[in-house]
Amino acid sequence: MRVYVPLTLPGLAEAYKTGELGAGPFAAYAVTPGLREWYLSDDIEELEYAALSRAALASLRLLAAEPEAPRRRVVVAVDVPDRAASADPDRGLDPAALGEVRVAGPVALAKAASVHVDAADAEADVTAAAEALPAADGGDDDAQFVVDGAEDHELLWFATQEIPNLVGRGD
């Protein structure tokens, strides 16, 4: 199963240093039955893009909690055995939990397929979106518009060999 792990650049640097994603059960996003039902699509590429987008929103939430982190969303795509990731059946259609899975334990960063990161030109919109999240969660439509503005930026695709450069440890 391909899962999308939301991170920040400091989180990616830590994963690079330790060689692992997550220390124990951790949240990720995947094509779950609830996500399939919500998006009413059988196109796996569309569904995987939806799971990636959900992980990007979770990365934005991590940024909101880490004001010192560079304002760029980060998502790592990694393949794990099907039994290693599970969705909470009680939250399957909860819009806040669409595509969310729990990965049972640490996953070797070497198993990552790719890394997705905002371009530098997204930083202003991502910063504004991270600051607007609490108001958006409270139902403020103007704040939600600001949060949605971050989604207008496509995450760039990077090969895993590019991680050292992304975290400032390239030669």
Side-chain angles (χ1 to χ4, degrees):
M1 169 186 289
R2 168 125 332 149
V3 299
Y4 299 90
V5 181
L7 293 174
T8 61
L9 282 172
L12 181 62
E14 181 64 20
Y16 178 70
K17 185 173 97 178
T18 65
E20 291 184 335
L21 290 165
F26 62 91
Y29 293 80
V31 177
T32 62
L35 188 80
R36 283 181 187 277
E37 190 171 330
W38 184 267
Y39 281 92
L40 300 172
S41 176
D42 288 329
D43 185 330
I44 192 65
E45 287 183 14
E46 284 180 24
L47 292 167
E48 285 186 349
Y49 183 77
L52 172 67
S53 297
R54 301 292 298 166
L57 177 60
S59 176
L60 184 65
R61 291 189 178 288
L62 293 173
L63 288 172
E66 290 182 44
E68 71 289 347
R71 309 327 263 170
R72 295 168 77 181
R73 298 168 298 163
V74 177
V75 175
V76 177
V78 62
D79 295 316
V80 299
D82 288 349
R83 68 187 179 284
S86 59
D88 182 344
D90 294 332
R91 296 188 66 204
L93 291 177
D94 176 355
L98 282 177
E100 186 177 288
V101 295
R102 300 297 290 167
V103 178
V107 175
L109 186 59
K111 295 203 181 262
S114 58
V115 180
H116 306 264
V117 181
D118 274 311
D121 69 354
E123 287 184 18
D125 288 339
V126 171
T127 298
E131 291 170 357
L133 262 175
D137 288 345
D140 183 320
D141 290 339
D142 291 334
Q144 185 62 52
F145 181 77
V146 173
V147 170
D148 292 344
E151 293 178 14
D152 291 341
H153 296 275
E154 294 288 330
L155 297 178
L156 302 177
W157 182 94
F158 294 91
T160 56
Q161 299 88 326
E162 297 176 274
I163 292 172
N165 292 330
L166 289 170
V167 300
R169 296 190 182 161
D171 293 326

